[in-house]
């Protein structure tokens, strides 16, 4: 094996520190330790050991740090003088990590673990450090041993000891203090301790990542569900894929299992399938697998035990099989700890954890999650439970409620009849009342017809015949009408549908005059005929008149409107609910005719009529439609009122899709207000849940999540918004190019806010690619520019330059975007020297050329305005401001040129490839450019006083650089005097003070 040189090892250490955490980094760090030891370079060997300890720490192999730390400690004991101040501090800091690793390693005897604490205390005392970290380590070891008195004493001593530069950061300490409170059942106390970390006031490399996960169950137990939801969405985004945070991943999985989000938990488990295998750090394994076991047990209870889970050690397993494997291996680890500690505490706590029951039925999270498949068998519902006899009295009461709901057209009728059917099936057939059996069959036939079942007509005919046998003529007449509707739904021949409608109307009219429901049956038949006949006419008129919105929504608007109007007039007094239905249809006809103003009062009247009739749920559709129309007319207050009424009246609606539509409508309206983002988020979140329940996750659910993400962004919750949006992105991309571009741009904006420029640039570029074929090139140009800005922020200079150049090309195609062109040219100018490793003379020349191009674009645009017969100052002022900014930025580029030259000379490198530099000439040019820019800002008025001060300060300090202190001070003093003389309210607050402070510094 070839021996590495010192330079190669040093380069390897740099690369290793910047590598992703994990086993690959650890293996490379191990090689570097061996190489450093082999060449006999003591200081380099110390550095390599320190690097290896840090690599282990940030991985799932943290317990491996014991060996390299022991070796590093030996090196220190042999020659403390070989360690500089920082290296010695690092070594003592690592004592704490090792104390944790020893406690987390059951193979290390308890006596050795306790002895290590004594050694740590002795060394800290000799080195003059506080005992605070020692007492914290003692607390956790004593707790694992079951010595609660010692743990409490260590806890008090920990808090009492002074903090010094060997103490953990505040964020980590608060984590531990809160964790101890949770062990004592003090959830509220823990959350109060954690508040500064959770609020972002105290952070570190792994906080608030860990605490966001740790806080989940305390929040659920306290009923603080909104916070729990946010902590999961935000915290999982931070922890995802991080080896050292596998215990936190386990907590997120457990949270999903205990909050009705089992499918989400399964997805998180799948994302971390590679880490489910045994880990080197068995304490992390116990914590990670514990959360997984909670999920697997819950899935098994829900009947998913035979569903596939992730593999374990390369072997596929079902949910139940994986549960058994992980439970056995985890308990084996827990028992090893117990054997070492002489107590059953670890296994007791572990068993209590994996036996936890759900804390809420369902907590909607907002993020998209695939629904669980239908369970193969539910283990918690014995087969015998389905045939348990139902007392006759209970059944009679249930039937009465179902019949009453049916007559009221109440939304709960279907659920009630479904329950009646279950109970009837559980009774012997000869004990079931024939009419009740017919009613159950009627419900099932209607359900089949609504679902478009092939045998729907056959079932309805059987129901009709059975009602006739039982002399239930009005029920038989209704079955005739349903047969006609089912025929229309199935696409039967128009003549056949008309025949069935005629039969239904005849059956209704043939009812006895004293039948209370005769009038209703006739009216229903008439309304159905109006609706269906309109649909049939549209079919017969041909494809060019094809209906747009189903039955009743064709191009024969006038005839349909007349028929509906006559129906309303005929029945508004006797049957207001049916009149309301017809009036809603009239409103839809008006909309299809392009007359929203006529539709609005019709929809309002329909809703009011339904409510007055005692059927508020029937008003919901009309109110939702009315709210949408009002928003299209920019009547936001009225729209909100209509949507809120729809929400109020939907209380008894049972269809999840309707609930989703109502909530989404209101959320969309509220989002357009500046002060209602939080309420909009609440409704959008609930809408997404309802759409998921309706099986519309990819449709209404995706739109609800888009609104939710926008509401979160409006509140400044960018991490929550990004996680929600990314979860539903594939669905949204299927809704047309316009939305695909919009949502990718939105996601790019969120990622930019989160400080992830590479990911943001990727989204902007993908959006630009979708817009590539559009006739208008401006959207693509703006997206390319946004991508370039983020690529530049990520220091990907070549990629940024290419994106800027593409954006510039596209803006030039439009011919009407001079300011966009100029800003791109300036950005390219700044990139020219930065993208050149040696900052050659050519790079500096390119930067100057690009700035001059920018000035030329602006001067040409201003000349065009001046040549206009009626020049617009509103249009010219932004151009002049950009020209002043361009001169200022050219001066800043020249300053960068001078600074780079002077640094090169200080380092003895001459000017590298930069060529000869006339420093004084460049400084004079800077003064001239900034002075010119300041004069132009002065012409632009008070709105640019801050920009003007910046230019004057720049010129003054540059004059001082070349020995003209008095000239610079005079220049700045003149501006200060001018600012003081301006009327009150003209000069921005603090500007005079800033100018005076700069002048004082210049004169000192």
């Amino acid at each position: 094996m070839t021996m590495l040189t010192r330079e190669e090892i040093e380069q390897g250490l740099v690369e290793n520190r910047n590598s992703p955490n994990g086993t690959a980094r650890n293996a490379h760090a191990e090689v570097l330790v061996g190489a450093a030891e082999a060449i006999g370079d003591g200081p380099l060997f110390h550095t390599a050991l320190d690097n290896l300890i840090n690599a282990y720490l940030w991985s799932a192999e943290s317990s491996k740090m014991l060996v390299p730390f022991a070796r590093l400690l030996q090196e220190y004991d042999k020659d403390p003088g070989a360690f500089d101040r920082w290296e010695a501090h690092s070594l003592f800091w690592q004592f704490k990590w090792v104390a944790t690793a020893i406690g987390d390693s059951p193979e290390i005897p308890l006596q050795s673990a306790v002895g290590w604490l004594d050694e740590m205390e002795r060394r800290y005392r000799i080195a003059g450090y506080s005992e605070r970290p020692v007492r914290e380590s003692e607390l956790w070891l004593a707790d694992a041993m079951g010595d609660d008195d010692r743990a409490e004493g260590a806890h008090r001593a920990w808090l009492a000891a002074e903090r010094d530069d060997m103490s953990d950061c505040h964020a980590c300490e608060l984590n531990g203090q809160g964790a101890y409170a949770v062990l004592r059942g003090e959830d509220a106390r823990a959350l109060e301790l954690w508040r500064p970390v959770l609020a972002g006031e105290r952070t570190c490399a792994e906080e608030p990542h860990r605490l966001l996960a740790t806080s989940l169950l305390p929040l659920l137990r306290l009923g603080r569900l909104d916070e729990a939801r946010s902590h999961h969405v935000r915290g999982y985004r931070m922890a995802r894929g991080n080896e050292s945070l596998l215990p936190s991943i386990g907590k997120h999985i457990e949270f999903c299992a205990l909050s009705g989000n089992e499918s989400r938990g399964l997805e998180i488990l799948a994302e971390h399938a590679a880490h489910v295998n045994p880990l080197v750090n068995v304490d992390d394994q116990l914590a990670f697998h514990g959360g997984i076991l909670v999920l697997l047990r819950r899935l098994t209870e829900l009947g998913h035990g035979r569903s596939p889970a992730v593999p374990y050690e390369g072997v596929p397993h079902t949910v139940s099989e994986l549960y058994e494997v992980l439970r056995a291996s985890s308990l084996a680890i827990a028992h090893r700890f117990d054997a070492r500690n002489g107590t059953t505490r670890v296994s007791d706590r572990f068993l209590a954890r994996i036996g936890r029951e759900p804390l809420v039925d369902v907590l909607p999270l907002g993020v998209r999650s695939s629904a669980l498949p239908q369970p193969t068998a539910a283990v918690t519902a014995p087969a015998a439970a389905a045939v348990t006899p139902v007392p006759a009295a209970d059944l009679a009461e249930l039937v009465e409620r179902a019949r009453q709901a049916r007559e009221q057209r109440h939304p709960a009728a279907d659920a009630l009849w479904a329950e009646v059917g279950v109970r009837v099936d559980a009774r012997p057939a000869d004990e079931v009342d024939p009419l009740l059996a017919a009613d159950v069959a009627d419900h099932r036939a209607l359900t089949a017809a609504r679902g478009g079942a092939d045998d729907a007509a056959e079932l309805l005919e059987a129901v009709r015949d059975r009602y006739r046998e039982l002399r239930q003529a009005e029920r038989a007449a209704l079955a005739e009408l349903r047969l006609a509707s089912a025929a229309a739904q199935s696409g039967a021949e128009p003549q056949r549908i008309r025949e069935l409608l005629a039969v239904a109307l005849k059956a209704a009219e043939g009812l006895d005059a004293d039948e209370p429901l005769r009038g209703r049956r006739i009216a229903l038949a008439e309304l159905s005929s109006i609706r269906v006949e309109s649909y049939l006419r549209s079919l017969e008129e041909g494809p060019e008149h094809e209906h747009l919105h189903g039955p009743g929504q064709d191009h024969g608007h006038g005839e349909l409107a007349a028929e509906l109007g006559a129906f309303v007039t005929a029945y508004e007094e006797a049957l207001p609910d049916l009149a309301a239905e017809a009036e809603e249809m009239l409103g839809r006809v008006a909309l299809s005719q392009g007359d929203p103003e006529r539709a609005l009062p019709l929809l309002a009247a329909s809703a009011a009529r339904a409510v007055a009739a005692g059927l508020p749920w029937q008003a919901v559709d009309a109110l939702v439609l009315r709210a949408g129309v009002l928003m299209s007319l920019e009547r936001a207050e009225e729209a909100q009122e209509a949507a809120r009424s729809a929400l109020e009246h939907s209380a008894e609606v049972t269809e999840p899709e309707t609930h989703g539509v109502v909530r989404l409508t209101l959320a969309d309206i509220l989002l357009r207000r500046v002060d209602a983002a939080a309420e909009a988020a609440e409704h959008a979140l609930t809408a997404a849940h309802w759409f998921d329940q309706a099986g519309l996750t990819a449709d209404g659910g995706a739109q609800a999540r888009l609104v939710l993400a926008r509401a979160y962004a409006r509140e400044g919750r960018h991490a929550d918004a990004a996680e929600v949006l990314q979860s539903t992105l594939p669905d949204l991309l299927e809704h047309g190019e316009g939305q695909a571009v919009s949502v990718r741009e939105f996601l790019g904006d969120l990622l930019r806010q989160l400080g992830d420029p590479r990911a943001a640039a990727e989204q902007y570029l993908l959006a630009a690619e979708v817009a590539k074929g559009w006739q208008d090139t401006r959207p693509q140009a703006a997206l390319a520019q946004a991508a370039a800005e983020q690529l530049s922020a990520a220091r990907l200079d070549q990629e940024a330059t290419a994106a800027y150049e593409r954006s510039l090309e596209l803006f030039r195609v439009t011919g009407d975007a001079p300011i966009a062109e100029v800003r791109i040219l300036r950005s390219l100018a700044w990139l020219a020297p930065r993208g050149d490793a040696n900052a050659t003379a050519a790079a500096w020349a390119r930067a100057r050329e690009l700035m001059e191009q920018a000035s030329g674009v602006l001067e040409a645009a201003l000349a065009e305005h001046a040549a206009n017969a009626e020049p617009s100052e509103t249009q010219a002022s932004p151009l002049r401001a950009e020209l002043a900014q361009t001169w200022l930025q050219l001066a800043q580029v020249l300053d960068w040129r001078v600074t780079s030259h002077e640094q090169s000379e200080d380092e003895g490198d001459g000017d590298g490839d930069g060529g000869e530099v006339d420093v004084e000439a460049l400084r004079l040019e800077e003064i001239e450019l900034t002075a010119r820019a300041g004069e132009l800002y002065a012409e632009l008025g008070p709105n640019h006083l801050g920009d003007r001060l910046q230019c004057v300060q720049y010129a003054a300090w540059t004059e001082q650089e070349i020995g003209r202190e008095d000239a610079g001070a005079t220049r700045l003093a003149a501006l200060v005097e001018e600012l003081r003389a301006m009327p009150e309210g003209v000069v921005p607050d603090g500007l005079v003070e800033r100018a005076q402070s700069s002048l004082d510094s210049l004169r000192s």
Side-chain angles (χ1 to χ4, degrees):
M1 178 179 176
T2 304
M3 184 176 294
L4 297 177
T5 66
R6 176 185 175 83
E7 290 72 21
E8 289 171 334
I9 296 170
E10 289 176 336
Q11 180 61 33
L13 288 169
V14 171
E15 294 172 355
N16 191 258
R17 293 188 192 100
N18 295 322
S19 297
N21 298 324
T23 54
R25 179 191 177 194
N26 295 351
H28 184 210
E30 290 165 358
V31 170
L32 294 172
V33 167
E37 185 176 24
I39 66 173
D41 187 320
L44 187 60
F45 180 48
H46 301 163
T47 302
L49 284 169
D50 179 81
N51 177 72
L52 179 57
I53 294 167
N54 278 273
Y56 283 147
L57 175 71
W58 302 108
S59 74
E61 299 181 331
S62 57
S63 57
K64 282 187 175 182
M65 74 172 70
L66 299 175
V67 173
F69 180 79
R71 297 190 69 187
L72 188 59
L73 189 60
Q74 288 174 357
E75 293 291 312
Y76 178 81
D77 288 341
K78 285 193 297 185
D79 185 7
F83 288 69
D84 63 24
R85 181 179 178 183
W86 184 91
E87 290 169 336
H89 182 277
S90 176
L91 176 69
F92 276 85
W93 187 270
Q94 290 165 354
F95 264 93
K96 300 180 295 182
W97 302 345
V98 173
T100 300
I102 287 175
D104 293 347
S105 303
E107 66 274 8
I108 296 179
L110 185 61
Q111 184 177 1
S112 298
V114 174
W116 174 258
L117 280 178
D118 294 338
E119 178 66 10
M120 180 181 176
E121 180 178 9
R122 183 185 69 83
R123 287 181 178 267
Y124 270 42
R125 185 171 59 250
I126 293 172
Y129 293 123
S130 168
E131 67 170 351
R132 193 175 178 94
V134 180
R135 300 285 78 84
E136 181 182 5
S137 297
E138 180 186 8
L139 162 64
W140 298 118
L141 183 59
D143 176 71
M145 294 163 53
D147 190 342
D148 293 336
D149 290 340
R150 183 174 181 181
E152 180 58 28
H155 178 248
R156 289 195 299 268
W158 169 27
L159 299 184
E162 292 185 3
R163 286 185 54 83
D164 61 9
D165 61 357
M166 198 51 62
S167 300
D168 280 342
C169 74
H170 282 285
C172 289
E173 282 208 337
L174 291 174
N175 183 333
Q177 292 167 24
Y180 186 63
V182 169
L183 289 178
R184 294 187 296 183
E186 300 173 358
D187 286 342
R189 170 64 177 158
L191 288 164
E192 179 59 27
L193 286 166
W194 292 334
R195 187 196 56 76
V197 183
L198 296 172
E201 298 168 12
R202 299 284 188 181
T203 62
C204 70
E206 289 194 333
E207 295 297 356
H209 313 46
R210 295 184 301 167
L211 267 186
L212 286 167
T214 304
S215 66
L216 293 172
L217 294 194
L219 287 169
L220 283 183
R221 286 192 290 261
L222 292 172
R224 293 162 60 172
L225 304 184
D226 289 341
E227 292 172 81
R229 175 191 300 115
S230 178
H231 287 196
H232 167 66
V233 173
R234 185 160 57 104
Y236 179 62
R237 181 179 182 83
M238 291 180 167
R240 177 194 283 130
N242 192 328
E243 261 195 21
S244 67
L245 292 177
L246 287 176
S248 296
I249 298 296
K251 290 172 183 175
H252 283 285
I253 292 173
E254 179 182 8
F255 164 79
C256 291
L258 301 181
S259 63
N261 291 285
E262 295 84 5
S263 60
R264 165 81 168 170
L266 204 54
E267 290 170 0
I268 295 174
L269 174 58
E271 287 185 24
H272 295 84
H275 295 106
V276 176
N277 295 328
L279 303 176
V280 172
N281 186 331
V282 294
D283 188 67
D284 279 5
Q285 180 179 333
L286 196 64
F288 180 40
H289 287 183
I292 296 172
L293 283 165
V294 177
L295 173 68
L296 297 176
R297 179 184 58 81
R298 183 70 185 139
L299 288 169
T300 302
E301 291 173 350
L302 293 173
H304 299 281
R306 297 180 184 177
S307 300
V310 299
Y312 182 73
E313 295 190 303
V315 179
H317 287 85
T318 65
V319 167
S320 295
E321 290 169 347
L322 185 59
Y323 176 83
E324 295 301 332
V325 170
L326 295 188
R327 186 178 188 278
S329 61
S330 297
L331 281 175
I333 293 171
H335 291 150
R336 286 165 58 193
F337 276 107
D338 288 345
R340 193 272 302 269
N341 298 335
T343 176
T344 61
R345 170 155 289 185
V346 173
S347 57
D348 288 345
R349 283 181 176 169
F350 181 78
L351 288 169
R353 179 188 186 187
I354 65 174
R356 284 173 178 154
E357 293 298 324
L359 295 167
V360 293
D361 290 334
V362 178
L363 175 62
L365 299 177
V367 292
R368 188 198 197 284
S369 185
S370 300
L372 290 172
Q374 287 297 316
T376 54
V379 301
T380 57
V387 294
T388 301
V390 179
D394 291 349
L395 179 58
E397 180 183 349
L398 180 63
V399 170
E400 179 61 27
R401 288 171 53 205
R403 285 174 174 160
Q404 186 177 7
R406 183 178 65 187
E407 295 310 315
Q408 292 177 340
R409 304 168 72 186
H410 194 285
D414 283 342
L416 288 168
W417 277 113
E419 178 63 19
V420 169
V422 171
R423 299 195 182 194
V424 165
D425 290 345
R427 303 175 71 87
D430 58 358
E431 293 183 12
V432 178
D433 175 65
L435 179 57
L436 176 56
D439 284 344
V440 170
D442 179 44
H443 165 70
R444 290 172 177 170
L446 178 59
T447 301
R450 287 170 178 166
D454 293 337
D455 62 346
E458 181 182 344
L459 294 172
L460 287 167
E461 288 174 353
V463 166
R464 176 200 61 193
D465 295 343
R466 185 60 178 146
Y467 276 135
R468 284 175 177 172
E469 293 172 6
L470 296 170
R471 301 183 182 278
Q472 296 290 317
E474 65 88 9
R475 298 300 303 168
L478 185 58
E480 294 281 18
L481 184 58
R482 287 172 177 168
L483 270 168
S485 298
Q489 183 177 339
S490 64
E493 290 295 323
Q495 184 58 34
R496 174 59 180 160
I497 297 172
R498 288 189 174 105
E499 290 173 358
L500 290 170
L501 284 170
V503 169
L505 179 58
K506 185 177 180 181
E509 291 173 339
L511 293 173
D512 291 343
D514 59 353
E515 167 58 56
L517 292 175
R518 181 176 183 274
R520 172 172 287 279
R521 294 290 175 260
I522 293 172
L524 271 176
E526 291 178 355
L527 185 58
S528 295
S529 294
I530 292 171
R531 180 189 294 111
V532 175
E533 184 60 41
S534 174
Y535 165 61
L536 294 177
R537 286 197 298 265
S538 71
L539 290 180
E540 292 171 338
E541 289 170 358
E544 67 274 14
H545 299 295
E546 187 175 353
H547 71 289
L548 300 178
H549 303 289
Q553 303 297 309
D554 67 341
H555 288 270
H557 298 129
E559 186 176 355
L560 176 59
E563 292 170 345
L564 290 170
F567 184 91
V568 172
T569 301
Y571 291 105
E572 59 184 341
E573 296 296 332
L575 297 168
D577 60 319
L578 294 183
E581 189 175 333
E583 213 155 23
E584 181 187 335
M585 291 173 62
L586 270 171
R588 292 180 184 275
V589 170
L591 288 175
S592 64
Q593 291 177 309
D595 192 350
E597 293 294 350
R598 182 161 60 90
L600 287 173
L602 289 167
L603 295 171
S606 171
R609 203 184 297 276
V611 172
L615 307 174
W617 52 85
Q618 188 179 316
V620 172
D621 287 349
L623 288 168
V624 167
L625 184 57
R626 187 168 189 272
V629 174
L630 287 165
M631 280 306 297
S632 71
L633 298 175
E634 298 185 0
R635 292 160 62 177
E637 290 300 322
E638 293 174 81
Q640 184 183 157
E641 180 182 353
R644 290 195 185 280
S645 294
L647 180 61
E648 176 187 352
H649 296 318
S650 68
E652 295 181 81
V653 171
T654 58
E655 294 180 356
E657 181 180 0
T658 301
H659 281 289
V661 170
V662 171
R663 293 277 186 169
L664 178 56
T665 301
L666 181 54
D668 193 38
I669 292 169
L670 290 170
L671 190 58
R672 305 187 195 198
R673 288 178 41 182
V674 297
D675 60 344
E679 188 183 357
E682 176 188 345
H683 291 300
L685 177 70
T686 307
H689 169 72
W690 283 117
F691 282 124
D692 289 348
Q693 296 297 305
L696 298 171
T697 298
D699 299 306
Q703 299 306 318
R705 288 183 172 89
L706 177 57
V707 173
L708 176 61
R710 293 196 184 283
Y712 280 159
R714 184 80 61 79
E715 290 186 278
R717 296 169 58 179
H718 299 111
D720 291 21
E723 190 69 12
V724 168
L725 189 59
Q726 284 180 311
S727 75
T728 197
L729 186 62
D731 298 326
L732 293 170
L733 295 179
E734 297 298 319
H735 290 225
E737 286 188 353
Q739 179 158 282
V741 169
S742 174
V743 297
R744 285 205 183 277
E745 182 180 14
F746 178 31
L747 181 54
D749 293 344
L750 292 172
L751 294 168
R752 174 176 53 80
Q753 291 280 355
L754 292 171
D756 192 347
R758 287 190 183 217
E762 179 185 10
Q763 293 302 322
Y764 291 138
L765 290 172
L766 288 169
E769 187 64 24
V770 175
K772 194 173 183 178
W774 294 1
Q775 185 174 0
D776 185 356
T777 61
R778 285 173 294 185
Q780 186 187 356
L783 289 164
Q785 183 180 6
E789 290 168 356
Q790 293 307 297
L791 290 166
S792 177
R795 309 296 291 188
L796 298 171
D797 295 337
Q798 291 184 347
E799 293 85 347
T801 298
Y804 273 129
E805 289 174 346
R806 177 59 178 157
S807 177
L808 182 62
E809 176 186 350
L810 291 166
F811 273 124
R812 283 175 170 167
V813 169
T814 69
D816 62 354
I819 290 178
E821 286 186 54
V822 164
R823 291 178 177 176
I824 293 170
L825 287 166
R826 292 200 304 245
S827 297
L828 284 168
W830 284 104
L831 278 172
R834 197 177 86 180
D836 189 318
N838 297 312
T840 62
W844 293 112
R846 175 65 176 158
R848 178 189 285 273
E849 177 192 355
L850 289 163
M851 285 292 185
E852 290 172 350
Q853 279 187 41
S855 298
V857 169
L858 291 165
E859 288 163 355
L862 285 166
E864 184 178 344
H865 277 287
N868 193 328
E870 296 181 4
S872 170
E873 186 58 30
T874 302
Q875 292 177 315
S877 291
L879 293 170
R880 297 172 72 199
E882 290 293 332
L883 182 58
Q885 182 63 209
T886 302
W887 290 336
L888 175 59
Q889 288 198 28
L890 175 55
Q892 292 169 331
V893 168
L894 298 179
D895 176 69
W896 183 16
R897 175 74 179 97
V898 171
T899 303
S900 298
H901 166 73
E902 291 173 344
Q903 288 176 347
S904 296
E905 287 197 330
D906 290 342
E907 294 167 3
D909 296 332
D911 195 44
D913 294 323
E916 294 297 324
V917 177
D918 187 338
V919 172
E920 185 172 358
L922 290 175
R923 290 300 192 197
L924 289 172
E925 186 176 0
E926 289 178 53
I927 295 169
E928 191 273 331
L929 285 165
T930 50
R932 198 191 327 164
E935 291 167 3
L936 186 48
Y937 278 132
E939 295 174 12
L940 290 170
N943 289 338
H944 291 277
L945 284 174
D947 298 315
R948 184 182 172 195
L949 173 59
Q950 182 185 11
C951 292
V952 173
Q953 286 175 317
Y954 193 114
W957 283 102
T958 306
E959 286 186 304
Q960 187 189 55
E961 286 276 337
I962 60 175
R964 292 162 43 173
E965 296 88 348
D966 291 343
T970 300
R971 183 189 299 273
L972 189 52
L975 178 59
V976 171
E977 184 177 348
E978 182 180 343
L979 292 174
R980 292 189 185 280
M982 288 183 178
E984 185 177 352
V986 173
V987 182
D989 291 343
L991 195 68
V992 174
E993 290 76 8
R994 278 172 47 203
Q996 184 63 53
S997 176
S998 182
L999 179 59
D1000 293 342
S1001 298
L1002 195 65
R1003 286 172 169 170
S1004 61

